[in-house]
Amino acid sequence: MKIKRILTLAIGMAVVAPLAACSAGGSDAADGGGGTVQWWTWDDKQAVSYKKCIAPFEAANPDIKVEISQYAWDDYWTKITTGFVAGTAPDAFQNNVSYYPEYVDQGQLLALDDKIAETKFDLAAIGTGVGAWTYKDDSLYGIPMDWATVGHFYNETYLADAGLTTDDIDTMTWNPKDGGTFDKVVARLTVDANGVRGDEAGFDKSKVAVYGAGSIGTNGLNGQDSWAGFLSTTGWTLGNDANWPTSFEYEAPEFVAAMNYFKSLSDRGFTPREGDFTQGAVEQLGSGKVAMVVGGSWYAPSFNALPGIEVGIAPSVLGDNGKRSGLTNSNANSIWKNGPRIDNAWEWVSFMGSEECQSIAGADGTFFPSIEASMAITEAAMLEQGIDLAPYTAQFADGSLFTTPMFSHGQELGSTIQPMFQGFFNGERGDDVFAEMSEASRQILAD
Amino acid sequence: MTTQLEANKPAGARTRGSKDRSKNRKGAAPTRVTSAANRSDWKLGWLLITPAILGFLVFALYPTLRGIYLSFTDFRVLTPAKWIGLGNYEMLLNDKVFWDSLLTTLYFVFLAVLLGVAISMLTAVILHRVTNSTVIRGLIILPFLISSVVAGVVWSWMLDSQLGIVNLWIESLSGETIRFLSDRAWVIPSLAVITVWKSMGYTTILIFAGLQTIPPQVYEAARTDGANEFQMFRRITLPLLRPITAMVTILTIISAFQVFDIVQVTTKGGPANASNVLQMYIYDKAFGQLDFGYGATMSLALFAMLIVISFTQMRLMRASESDTN
């Protein structure tokens, strides 16, 4: 009988314990872990940098504690979404322009206009991104916290070996017809196994030792990390409207010509074929098999850390009209509308958007602050590490950057359009795919 | 041979189609006992299975019923579900990506199951005939213990056509490289091989355990009759292992249908949807595009397919019987 009682007790505990645990988790979620503001980011480096802002913030706001959590990009959005449902989402979080329209539509983000007005937050100090984070209802759903753009990273030794100068690469021109001087630079940088360069007779495209450029095909949605800064120099725009378009202009002749040009680079052996590398731009340049890659400014510290390779940075290409047109966008801090600590979350978000915090965190060079004075600190700190950000800051200063258009259903568009792009660059599909892509974009954007 | 097998059967073993079966059944019919002690055991029995029942209700039955309901709704997860009747099912019938994903999944399942069962069986038989070393058994199961994400990352590096060690070897031998994970023709076979590498340790140990239940006298008798290794494998090992083979095959099929993590880490469904298996598509629709209603519909379709396949397989392989029954 004694054994039976013990068994009964054990089973009872086995049944009750998980329920109790569930209940404990629920109450913890309901009170949100006390007075601690939860802030999430997908960027491990920025998580470390922004942690440095916690001490001065908590000193100025003794009643508020802040906890920063970081999750990798692929898990991040799933966690945020399930957190909204389960009541465990962070009070505030780093947000991306591809995701926020869906969250606004579903009533999860706080419009920040009232808070900005109440606390007299200095929105004018934010140098970029405010337009992109203003939704169709003219409300602001994020305080822009950084900006980024895309340029070229190249192996300085390979450049010298090819007899090219920094000026050659800084002033590359491009057009969809013959590729401008960009084409010549890429051909010159390409070397086959016998040491013959891409612009020399006898070049064997089937035995390439060093590609002049990394693959320029399907990186990033709508060429964000590859061709966007090229095509925009022709005057082509992604959407039929500057923001909230109803169609993407994939059928435009200049777009079709540009895609065929980029495909011809791999057909001629100057860039790897689509999928030759399954690793990213940093690994490609680091392998020594690629002389130059198109890459985001956020990779600058990673390129600089490549062992045994001196990496130079060049701005985006010049168009036929002699002007650059590089893509830029901003991530922002959003507040969960149904969160338990909205006021405290705003205190933290507004502090993160202040010059004080942006300068503290920006000194690490892990992002480009959206406040001009803080950006100057970042630039100086990076220069000390041997990274000259002048190619990017010059483009920012001269206004040769453009903002990617705002649109909803970013995930659905990516899942639908990206395989079609891959089909084209794989050689499975011809030019007819572009009409199909435009039609798909119209159907999705019409919802 | 038949006589020896019959002679080696344990006492009381049933022969399929023989009269013994009915006799045994009759003989084994439980006697109804109504004593107080047994009533108490009955209560304890219920108590013992209560956690399992609760778990089943909360984590299996309720989500399944909820999934069935959601499949008839437009559910964007952050707003209440709207009933749309058969709308999602109509969309499913006309969704080319879904049907392509289904074909991709079936191709993957075919390769993963064929290779998985064949290699596991071969490895288990060799282990059984050659060694009883627990160290070697431990080594065999090692890949199964590695996280799928880690396995996917390591394999994607190894198979990279420009930087991977596998292609380094292939290029040194043939002068060419293979785009294992980015060529339409290669991607599914490559994923199947990675999956088999990852899971074969577990299935090998299952089959190995099954092999140990076969009495050694059976093999001794066969050897006395002059049977060689292949004949013994074909006429003794395979028939006697049928219940285990059926279980392993069904488990492998179900697990292959549910492949997700390795695809997510290595190819994300590419190139051009060539490895967009059903679970990837369902995940993208539900968690990427927040279309949980349609995701539930596709999940239900997969659920129905798995039931039909498992049931058919059980019937075809007579999974509960071995040839000695």
Side-chain angles (χ1 to χ4, degrees), chain B residues 32 42 65 71 81 121 128 161-162 164 216 228 259:
Chain B
R32 193 175 291 274
W42 182 84
L65 295 176
S71 73
M121 177 74 78
H128 184 239
S161 72
Q162 294 286 327
N228 61 29
V259 63

Side-chain angles (χ1 to χ4, degrees), chain A residues 270-281:
Chain A
F270 298 162
T271 62
R273 292 169 302 169
E274 176 72 18
D276 265 356
F277 283 93
T278 51
Q279 308 302 326

Side-chain angles (χ1 to χ4, degrees), chain A residues 192-226:
Chain A
D192 72 11
N194 300 315
V196 180
R197 294 196 172 271
D199 59 356
E200 294 172 346
F203 169 71
D204 183 356
K205 67 177 184 182
S206 67
K207 304 273 183 223
V208 178
V210 177
Y211 293 100
S215 176
I216 304 176
T218 59
N219 295 344
L221 177 58
N222 289 312
Q224 177 179 297
D225 302 341
S226 50

Side-chain angles (χ1 to χ4, degrees), chain A residues 186-331:
Chain A
V186 172
R188 186 71 195 153
L189 287 170
T190 305
V191 188
D192 72 11
N194 300 315
V196 180
R197 294 196 172 271
D199 59 356
E200 294 172 346
F203 169 71
D204 183 356
K205 67 177 184 182
S206 67
K207 304 273 183 223
V208 178
V210 177
Y211 293 100
S215 176
I216 304 176
T218 59
N219 295 344
L221 177 58
N222 289 312
Q224 177 179 297
D225 302 341
S226 50
W227 46 257
F230 290 76
L231 254 163
S232 52
T233 62
T234 65
W236 178 83
T237 55
L238 176 63
N240 57 344
D241 286 318
N243 280 320
W244 314 112
T246 54
S247 172
F248 286 165
E249 305 293 282
Y250 298 128
E251 289 170 283
E254 62 269 36
F255 181 85
V256 177
M259 291 303 112
N260 277 290
Y261 167 76
F262 292 124
K263 189 165 175 290
S264 81
L265 286 173
S266 62
D267 294 342
R268 289 181 285 157
F270 298 162
T271 62
R273 292 169 302 169
E274 176 72 18
D276 265 356
F277 283 93
T278 51
Q279 308 302 326
V282 178
E283 288 80 7
Q284 289 180 32
L285 201 73
S287 73
K289 287 195 163 190
V290 173
M292 177 174 70
V293 291
V294 182
S297 56
W298 57 93
Y299 284 132
S302 304
F303 280 112
N304 189 51
L306 284 174
I309 296 179
E310 291 296 318
V311 179
I313 301 175
S316 62
V317 294
L318 293 156
D320 269 348
N321 58 4
K323 290 184 178 170
R324 304 185 198 279
S325 184
L327 179 142
T328 183
N329 64 25
S330 295
N331 297 308

Side-chain angles (χ1 to χ4, degrees), chain B residues 8 181 282 287:
Chain B
N8 279 312
L181 297 173
I282 292 170
F287 288 94

Side-chain angles (χ1 to χ4, degrees), chain A residues 4 8 11 15 74 78 81 84-85 106 211 274-278 287 289 411-412 415 419 422 426 428, chain B residues 40 47-48 54 76-79 157 160-163 179 182 184 268 271-273 283-284 287-290:
Chain A
K4 199 174 277 182
T8 310
I11 292 162
V15 174
D74 285 340
T78 308
T81 306
F84 286 151
V85 179
Q106 304 222 35
Y211 293 100
E274 176 72 18
D276 265 356
F277 283 93
T278 51
S287 73
K289 287 195 163 190
Q411 277 294 107
E412 191 176 357
S415 300
Q422 288 172 349
N426 265 344
E428 293 174 5
Chain B
S40 174
L47 198 59
L48 284 166
L54 266 179
R76 313 293 296 186
V77 80
L78 300 172
T79 43
W157 268 99
D160 188 287
S161 72
Q162 294 286 327
L163 308 173
R179 293 186 296 166
S182 50
R184 180 174 287 279
K268 289 193 161 44
N273 281 345
Y283 175 81
D284 181 57
F287 288 94
Q289 303 173 32
L290 303 185

